[in-house]
Amino acid sequence: MDLLAAVRSDVEREFSWWQKDVRSLFGTPRQPPLTSRMDVDVAIVGGGFTGLWTALILKERNPQLRVAILDAYRCGDGASSRNGGNVHGYWGALPTLLPIFGADKSIEAARLGTVAQGRLRKFATAHRRDVWWVEEGYLRVATSPAQVKKIREFVRTARDLGLGDTLRQLPQGELRELCNSPRFLEGLLFTEGATVNPGRLVHELRQAALDAGISIFENSPVRRVQKGSVNFVETDRGAVTARDVVLATYTGTMGLSPVAKSTTLFSSFPVMSDPDPEYLESINYRKARGLADLRMFTHYFRRTNDGRVLMGSGSGPLEWGSAHNSEKLRNDGASARRAAIGLQRFFPGMSGGVATSWGYPIEVTSDRLPYFGTLQGSRIHYGSGYSGHGVNATVIAGECLSSLILNQKDEWTTSAFCSRNRMTFPIEPFRFVGGTMVRDAIVRCEDAEDAGRRQPLIAQAISNLPRVMGMRVGTR
């Protein structure tokens, strides 16, 4: 089969496979737009995972609150229904977090991710909710000797911290009992991990918000937010006054100065295969467990309930400054081809081809943790920096933003997610030019490692620049 030729460029590429699945089941019912002026306690701009979780958790903590969600399109039609659907917290991020935050803060962040995972599980497995929740752990796989070394270093770190119960090292024989890809050398199975159909999950969250009495206005793009003792939010055809405003606009928060300084724009491109459950059964990939290799710009993948494989590449283009609406962050043939190559390389026996592909921007913080805060001198709150881990992290967002709104000093607002000094990126144009050079060099080096070739010397030198400059992120 020619997976590369199957990467399509038709008009439907603007939708993810998850969105098409939900539309086939439920159609596209929409809430009416805002056409008048109203007063609420909390106005949430953006109806994706962040906005919906925040609204639901607020109503859970204080049922009397008047909460309204304003979405420019339909709730969840942005990043929330375009991700890969791997659900896990921050135990696997410890090697990145430890040099920055130390052991206590890093472990605290990972444990709060476990709390978020519990809330997700409870919601996803409630009676009559079919969101394809499968909880079988999260598997990291080594596909080169360099990645095998990373696994062994991680296991040593976990044991030194007394966290050996969070993971299990898998030699090749045990790994092949879970997924017998010819490219897998060793594995690291984290006990905390699940997969979900993100399109169905956001559909259920939207319905739960409506059932909870939360006002939702779709096709209501916000044109202006004016801060004051009472904030004023203006849409095309109406307006809302609110004591608190939440900017849950994902990459749209890049327009805020405190976000832009420590966050940069990347992009991610997955492909979804045609179904081939017989082949997946033959290689022991029977359960919809999420996987990723140990490249810096990972291949992330998972099977679906109907026997497909989603394969994503986190190596998409960067963009300048806050230009999150850039077309290249959504449509880049080279990135889609890299994902298709990964699918063909890891699962060479699959029949059929690529059913569809899509891309979307992601915002990556300088320390790879999301951040939730309040604009100085205001009651306007924001969340940013999910760094490609949005399903679990947006539950953390709901908890953190709710605590900020309710003025609660608790485990959320005192954690690193709300209270830390963030490193800043270089100013433009150095951020974009330097980041693009380093990203391209790392991709070339990791491609060479996977192919068993020597890394290009110039690319190797460029990829080491962040480490030479003393940076604690962007290093291999």
Side-chain angles (χ1 to χ4, degrees), residues 51-83:
L52 290 166
W53 278 118
T54 301
L56 286 166
I57 293 171
L58 277 172
K59 290 290 281 186
E60 178 183 296
R61 295 193 194 181
N62 186 346
Q64 304 307 312
L65 282 177
R66 298 167 299 161
V67 181
I69 294 174
L70 305 167
D71 197 276
Y73 304 102
R74 186 175 182 274
C75 285
D77 267 358
S80 297
S81 54
R82 286 179 163 92
N83 66 67

Side-chain angles (χ1 to χ4, degrees), residues 403-423:
S403 293
L404 290 171
I405 290 165
L406 298 173
N407 298 312
Q408 294 173 339
K409 188 173 182 179
D410 56 19
E411 61 182 346
W412 301 102
T413 54
T414 59
S415 73
F417 295 113
C418 292
S419 178
R420 72 181 190 266
N421 293 319
R422 292 171 293 160
M423 296 174 289

Side-chain angles (χ1 to χ4, degrees), residues 166-232:
T166 64
L167 56 84
R168 182 161 64 94
Q169 186 176 1
L170 301 178
Q172 191 175 58
E174 289 186 49
L175 176 59
R176 288 184 171 176
E177 292 176 7
L178 302 182
C179 185
N180 188 11
S181 166
R183 294 289 183 172
F184 296 171
L185 303 178
E186 283 191 20
L188 198 59
L189 180 62
F190 291 88
T191 55
E192 180 179 285
T195 56
V196 72
N197 180 321
R200 296 191 186 201
L201 177 60
V202 77
H203 173 84
E204 293 290 351
L205 286 168
R206 176 181 178 273
Q207 187 58 53
L210 291 170
D211 293 343
I214 295 161
S215 301
I216 294 180
F217 300 97
E218 296 175 321
N219 292 335
S220 300
V222 169
R223 300 306 181 193
R224 182 165 62 106
V225 177
Q226 182 177 325
K227 71 176 182 179
S229 55
V230 176
N231 299 297
F232 181 75

Side-chain angles (χ1 to χ4, degrees), residues 42-303:
V42 183
I44 299 174
V45 183
F49 283 149
T50 295
L52 290 166
W53 278 118
T54 301
L56 286 166
I57 293 171
L58 277 172
K59 290 290 281 186
E60 178 183 296
R61 295 193 194 181
N62 186 346
Q64 304 307 312
L65 282 177
R66 298 167 299 161
V67 181
I69 294 174
L70 305 167
D71 197 276
Y73 304 102
R74 186 175 182 274
C75 285
D77 267 358
S80 297
S81 54
R82 286 179 163 92
N83 66 67
N86 282 333
V87 189
H88 55 90
Y90 290 94
W91 296 110
L94 286 179
T96 301
L97 302 181
L98 286 168
I100 301 172
F101 301 111
D104 290 345
K105 277 287 187 184
S106 300
I107 293 171
E108 178 192 39
R111 287 183 171 149
L112 288 176
T114 298
V115 174
Q117 194 86 353
R119 181 180 281 276
L120 258 169
R121 179 189 307 112
K122 182 178 179 181
F123 182 89
T125 58
H127 183 55
R128 294 185 177 177
R129 284 192 182 132
D130 180 16
V131 298
W132 291 11
W133 179 266
V134 176
E135 196 163 15
E136 291 288 342
Y138 181 59
L139 183 60
R140 301 297 300 273
V141 294
T143 61
S144 70
Q147 293 179 29
V148 170
K149 182 179 177 183
K150 287 184 180 181
I151 283 182
R152 294 174 183 176
E153 289 172 349
F154 194 105
V155 170
R156 283 195 295 271
T157 299
R159 287 175 179 164
D160 289 345
L161 293 171
L163 302 172
D165 60 339
T166 64
L167 56 84
R168 182 161 64 94
Q169 186 176 1
L170 301 178
Q172 191 175 58
E174 289 186 49
L175 176 59
R176 288 184 171 176
E177 292 176 7
L178 302 182
C179 185
N180 188 11
S181 166
R183 294 289 183 172
F184 296 171
L185 303 178
E186 283 191 20
L188 198 59
L189 180 62
F190 291 88
T191 55
E192 180 179 285
T195 56
V196 72
N197 180 321
R200 296 191 186 201
L201 177 60
V202 77
H203 173 84
E204 293 290 351
L205 286 168
R206 176 181 178 273
Q207 187 58 53
L210 291 170
D211 293 343
I214 295 161
S215 301
I216 294 180
F217 300 97
E218 296 175 321
N219 292 335
S220 300
V222 169
R223 300 306 181 193
R224 182 165 62 106
V225 177
Q226 182 177 325
K227 71 176 182 179
S229 55
V230 176
N231 299 297
F232 181 75
V233 182
E234 184 179 12
T235 70
D236 276 348
R237 301 167 60 188
V240 175
T241 55
R243 182 198 66 205
D244 288 88
V245 172
V246 176
L247 301 179
T249 53
Y250 192 53
T251 54
T253 59
M254 286 292 293
L256 304 176
S257 176
V259 174
K261 290 177 181 177
S262 59
T263 312
T264 191
L265 284 168
F266 278 73
S267 55
S268 182
F269 288 79
V271 298
M272 182 71 87
S273 78
D274 291 320
D276 191 357
E278 293 81 9
Y279 170 72
L280 297 182
E281 180 76 17
S282 74
I283 63 167
N284 301 327
Y285 195 9
R286 300 183 178 95
K287 296 179 178 178
R289 181 182 290 108
L291 294 91
D293 63 12
L294 281 107
R295 292 169 64 118
M296 181 172 175
F297 295 113
T298 61
H299 289 100
Y300 57 90
F301 44 110
R302 45 81 57 89
R303 74 161 283 172

